[in-house]
Amino acid sequence: MAATALLAGGCGGSGSSVAGDGKLADGKTFTTAYASDPGPLDPAKTVMSIAVGINLYLYDPLIHLSDKGEPEAGLAQKWQATLKTATFTLRPGLTCSDGSPLTASDVAANIDYIGDPKSKSPLAGVLIQPGTTAEADNGQRTVTLTSGAPDAFLLRNVGSVPIACGDGLKDRTVLAKGGKGSGTGMFTMTEAVANDHYTLTRRKDYSWGPSGRGAQGLPDKVTIRVIPNETTAANLLMSGELNAAAVSGPEQKRLAAQKLFHADVQAPLGELYFNQSGARPGADEKVRRALVQALYLSDVGKVVTNGTGKPSQGLVTGEPRACTGDSVTGNLPPYDLTAAKSALDAAGWAPGPGGIRTKNGKKLTLSLMYGTQNGPSMAAGAELIQKEWKSLGAEVTLKPADSPALNSTLFGSGNWDISMGPIALTAPNQLVPSAPRLHRWPLRWIRLSPGATAGVRRQRWRDRRTACRNPHRGTAQPAVERPCPRESGSRAERRRRATRARGRGRVRTSASAGRTCRWRP
């Protein structure tokens, strides 16, 4: 579901006497609230929205995106990119927050770290393809990278990487604590009290930004308070103790009635992610499909969004979106409890004692993790899902987790079955774990039977004819239909030709009347 989060403002900053006036907090202290502690803040080690939100103050990217999605100057003043390579020329006069010059080597070190599989960065495969390397020319202020895999959104993805510098590149524990002296952004971390508050101070030497804009109309300090309870945050907004807070629960109505300055932000809620590793139940597609078929998705969506959301049209929700359109409608299995039970029967999960299904003596037990930072409605939604899956024959344990726990579990221990933790994407190729393998497929011919229209459509969906409809563009070239190569000669000759074709990295299939083959590089 796409939920509307109310970003409400209480006043323009300390010293302002008008609540909700929407004025800039120029030179004042701006106080905002997050619903959870961010946990470790190393920008290459977290993808949690709260940590990312704080890091936006501390680290700048190579490029910014305009409201229309067009690239604008960030740390880089010039850039060029293809599917596999990109070159960025840094602005002159950039400095790290410790006062030292920001060099091309610093930028390259950020890219190399994420691209190195040994780093186990959650940004690998999202913003930087595994195996990506970068070369720096400090004299020319240029960074040239070679992507580990073709990426149709290479400029957008690599350009969004938060760039650290200074001591943090040598000791990443510095970055985990807020990157003292190691930032490239407008603010530095001057105080950090976990689960309570974080204080950021504006840099006096910061003179860059999108399209050259500097730090005009901005506060001298930003205080981020950790307030898990939305009612408390709403009360503080109305009293003027908070300048801003994101509210996604029922408190939206009370705040709207106060006519505070606000902005509505679309956020993804109710996403379900299945752990498909090892022997986990989610590794079986039949089980995943059955679990989805057992849910009234519209009812779950209403619960988790307090009735304010609407069905999402795609996984890419981050603005500005690279691609628009509806990739969801018609692609999710509709509610059908009977079909869901039959699917589990076919997968070997038979009804057992107490109504819990078993397979080879093992119960169908699932853990469902959800984020507490998204408000109380997430717990209610998780309880509804638990109830529906129990009727299917699954034993479900609910696991509430704050933002740091979600990050460490999803991208650290891996000890989870199903997650409701929302993941906001900015490009359609950021959730494709198999993508690095696609470009290594050999040249091959694929036979299509006459009239197999549906099959062709499914194959084209997997091949991703365009980047916006499928994220694999750049890793697998669009398929082209051609007549199948005519086979001639004796059976032995045809066998020898097929063997030679396989040696050259392609497989040919015998042709018959009315059949075509698709060629994919």
Side-chain angles (χ1 to χ4, degrees):
M1 296 290 287
T4 300
L6 183 75
L7 185 62
C11 62
S14 298
S16 172
S17 59
V18 182
D21 56 14
K23 294 181 179 179
L24 298 176
D26 189 15
K28 304 169 185 175
T29 297
F30 185 83
T31 305
T32 185
Y34 286 168
S36 171
D37 188 82
L41 289 166
D42 185 337
K45 286 291 191 178
T46 182
V47 291
M48 293 295 103
S49 60
I50 291 177
V52 170
I54 293 179
N55 284 337
L56 288 174
Y57 292 95
L58 305 176
Y59 307 98
D60 271 9
L62 289 167
I63 64 170
H64 297 278
L65 294 175
S66 69
D67 293 340
K68 297 181 179 180
E70 298 296 326
E72 294 184 340
L75 296 175
Q77 64 178 8
K78 294 191 299 182
W79 51 84
Q80 58 183 10
T82 66
L83 292 177
K84 281 279 290 182
T85 63
T87 299
F88 297 90
T89 302
L90 301 182
R91 295 172 183 264
L94 297 174
T95 59
C96 196
S97 56
D98 64 359
S100 63
L102 176 70
T103 67
S105 294
D106 292 332
V107 175
N110 284 266
I111 296 170
D112 286 341
Y113 179 82
I114 298 171
D116 185 353
K118 295 179 181 178
S119 302
K120 297 181 179 180
S121 169
L123 297 184
V126 178
L127 298 181
I128 299 290
Q129 295 298 323
T132 296
T133 58
E135 295 183 359
D137 185 330
N138 291 329
Q140 297 297 318
R141 307 192 313 278
T142 60
V143 180
T144 302
L145 65 91
T146 302
S147 179
D151 183 353
F153 299 93
L154 186 63
L155 176 63
R156 186 185 184 107
N157 288 334
V158 174
S160 299
V161 172
I163 301 300
C165 54
D167 292 339
L169 295 180
K170 303 172 185 176
D171 180 4
R172 302 201 75 89
T173 61
V174 173
L175 300 179
K177 298 176 182 178
K180 183 178 181 181
S182 302
T184 54
M186 189 182 298
F187 290 81
T188 61
M189 181 79 70
T190 51
E191 188 177 27
V193 181
N195 295 301
D196 190 79
H197 73 276
Y198 294 81
T199 302
L200 314 175
T201 302
R202 192 174 71 178
R203 294 174 55 182
K204 301 300 183 183
D205 61 339
Y206 184 93
S207 59
W208 52 92
S211 298
R213 293 190 294 269
Q216 298 178 358
L218 294 168
D220 283 345
K221 287 188 177 182
V222 173
T223 299
I224 299 171
R225 295 178 59 178
V226 179
I227 303 176
N229 189 290
E230 278 197 352
T231 299
T232 302
N235 290 337
L236 293 175
L237 275 169
M238 290 190 294
S239 70
E241 292 185 55
L242 285 181
N243 300 120
V247 178
S248 58
E251 292 293 337
Q252 289 190 51
K253 294 181 179 179
R254 185 159 66 102
L255 291 173
Q258 298 297 316
K259 301 185 182 302
L260 298 181
F261 176 79
H262 72 279
D264 292 333
V265 180
Q266 294 296 312
L269 289 179
E271 297 171 330
L272 289 174
Y273 293 92
F274 296 88
N275 191 339
Q276 301 179 35
S277 63
R280 294 185 181 274
D284 189 337
E285 183 181 352
K286 295 186 181 69
V287 174
R288 300 195 301 270
R289 178 172 290 272
L291 291 173
V292 175
Q293 282 185 303
L295 297 175
Y296 280 110
L297 295 176
S298 59
D299 289 350
V300 175
K302 290 177 182 177
V303 172
V304 299
T305 65
N306 290 288
T308 62
K310 59 182 179 179
S312 179
Q313 294 185 335
L315 289 173
V316 179
T317 57
E319 296 289 352
R321 288 186 291 168
C323 303
T324 58
D326 188 349
S327 62
V328 174
T329 302
N331 292 316
L332 288 176
Y335 174 81
D336 191 333
L337 185 59
T338 301
K341 290 181 177 179
S342 297
L344 288 184
D345 291 338
W349 293 97
I356 304 302
R357 292 176 177 268
T358 62
K359 180 179 181 180
N360 299 327
K362 182 181 179 181
K363 290 184 177 181
L364 180 56
T365 58
L366 303 168
S367 63
L368 176 60
M369 185 169 57
Y370 64 91
T372 58
Q373 77 275 16
N374 299 120
S377 62
M378 293 301 293
E383 290 169 359
L384 176 58
I385 294 175
Q386 180 188 42
K387 178 183 176 181
E388 298 297 332
W389 284 348
K390 182 178 180 180
S391 67
L392 184 62
E395 186 176 75
V396 182
T397 301
L398 301 184
K399 291 189 174 181
D402 61 9
S403 186
L406 279 173
N407 190 66
S408 62
T409 302
L410 292 175
F411 307 105
S413 69
N415 185 22
W416 60 282
D417 290 321
I418 304 168
S419 170
M420 292 178 68
I423 298 179
L425 305 176
T426 57
N429 65 341
Q430 293 179 347
L431 272 185
V432 192
S434 61
R437 294 196 295 270
L438 292 177
H439 70 285
R440 294 200 294 267
W441 283 356
L443 202 67
R444 65 180 182 177
W445 297 90
I446 303 174
R447 181 194 297 178
L448 301 178
S449 300
T453 307
V456 175
R457 283 201 300 265
R458 286 194 294 271
Q459 184 66 43
R460 285 175 179 170
W461 176 254
R462 287 194 296 270
D463 288 344
R464 311 308 200 196
R465 299 298 294 268
T466 65
C468 289
R469 290 188 59 193
N470 190 317
H472 290 179
R473 180 179 177 182
T475 55
Q477 295 296 321
V480 178
E481 292 188 4
R482 298 177 179 173
C484 280
R486 183 178 299 278
E487 297 286 354
S488 61
S490 67
R491 180 179 299 178
E493 289 173 346
R494 292 198 297 270
R495 186 179 297 114
R496 284 195 294 272
R497 281 200 297 270
T499 301
R500 290 196 297 271
R502 284 193 294 271
R504 292 193 298 269
R506 71 182 180 187
V507 177
R508 299 165 65 125
T509 63
S510 59
S512 59
R515 293 187 174 181
T516 59
C517 288
R518 298 179 79 211
W519 176 81
R520 179 171 58 223

